[in-house]
Amino acid sequence: MAGLWAGHVRDGHGDGQSQPPATHSGQPGPDASQSPGSSDEDDAAPGSPQGPEGPETGAVAGPDGSRTEVPRGWKRFDAFREPDRVSYQAPAGRANRVIIFKVPEQTLAASLHAAAQRGRKTLTAYHQNAYRVGSGTAMREFTYIHQKFGEQLAVDHRFATNDKRYAVIAYGPPDAAEATRQVAHRAVTTFRSTD
């Protein structure tokens, strides 16, 4: 099970820019992880019990009636302002958060490219640390300066399931990069759509 949390990528470099009982189990989901660029926001995420494979998680609702897992104790926010985006934050606040949504673009590559372009134009001190597009997945990692939380690392995974395309973006401080990668990886690998 240790491999369940080991999905991090560090290979590309560029500049420019509710809750059921906790579980550690989850069938393998889509390969790798991906997500779009959004300007919202150690090994355990703050407020999450740490187990041998990372923080304990619980099942939560995603967009379109989908289900996924986030660290236990994280709470949903902005549910009514952004009905197509489902967001969860750590008990300590939104400096640690995850956003899950459907992507409108026809391909994962196009979706990731569009998100990266938006990030370069709209995020302060945007720096892309990794970027990869594969079969059925696309991902990027980037840092930027958030007006309220300071420097943030974002791990953006985009993936397809049941002919639908989704994004998971996890945010956290750069000094807790592994915890942020774990949150994104867990949300992707446990994701189940309704169809």
Side-chain angles (χ1 to χ4, degrees):
M1 281 247 205
L4 189 59
W5 285 94
H8 18 293
V9 180
R10 295 182 186 154
D11 59 350
H13 295 288
D15 284 277
Q17 47 151 202
S18 126
Q19 208 160 309
T23 177
H24 278 296
S25 64
Q27 298 81 13
D31 186 50
S33 11
Q34 348 0 250
S35 337
S38 166
S39 59
D40 282 340
E41 358 178 311
D42 187 85
D43 284 300
S48 300
Q50 180 73 14
E53 294 118 15
E56 291 182 12
T57 59
V60 295
D64 275 351
S66 60
R67 303 291 291 171
T68 192
E69 292 183 12
V70 300
R72 186 166 39 179
W74 284 31
K75 301 293 182 199
R76 189 168 174 164
F77 71 96
D78 288 343
F80 299 105
R81 288 196 291 154
E82 297 183 275
D84 296 334
R85 289 179 181 243
V86 178
S87 306
Y88 292 89
Q89 68 182 24
R94 292 186 193 166
N96 294 90
R97 64 199 180 282
V98 63
I99 299 172
I100 306 135
F101 55 96
K102 285 183 68 176
V103 297
E105 293 85 3
Q106 293 300 305
T107 68
L108 298 175
S111 179
L112 197 68
H113 178 75
Q117 291 298 101
R118 281 191 304 273
R120 286 184 186 97
K121 292 177 184 174
T122 63
L123 299 178
T124 302
Y126 176 91
H127 179 81
Q128 188 165 284
N129 305 318
Y131 190 100
R132 182 168 69 187
V133 177
S135 176
T137 66
M139 73 78 59
R140 68 184 173 129
E141 281 189 13
F142 62 96
T143 54
Y144 69 102
I145 305 297
H146 188 281
Q147 193 171 35
K148 182 176 180 181
F149 307 125
E151 189 175 11
Q152 289 269 277
L153 169 72
V155 180
D156 179 354
H157 290 274
R158 291 162 196 257
F159 58 97
T161 183
N162 295 332
D163 296 321
K164 295 180 182 177
R165 290 162 303 284
Y166 293 92
V168 167
I169 307 176
Y171 300 86
D175 63 354
E178 191 57 35
T180 303
R181 290 183 189 111
Q182 289 176 356
V183 169
H185 181 71
R186 184 66 172 189
V188 171
T189 60
T190 61
F191 188 91
R192 298 292 175 268
S193 69
T194 52
D195 300 330

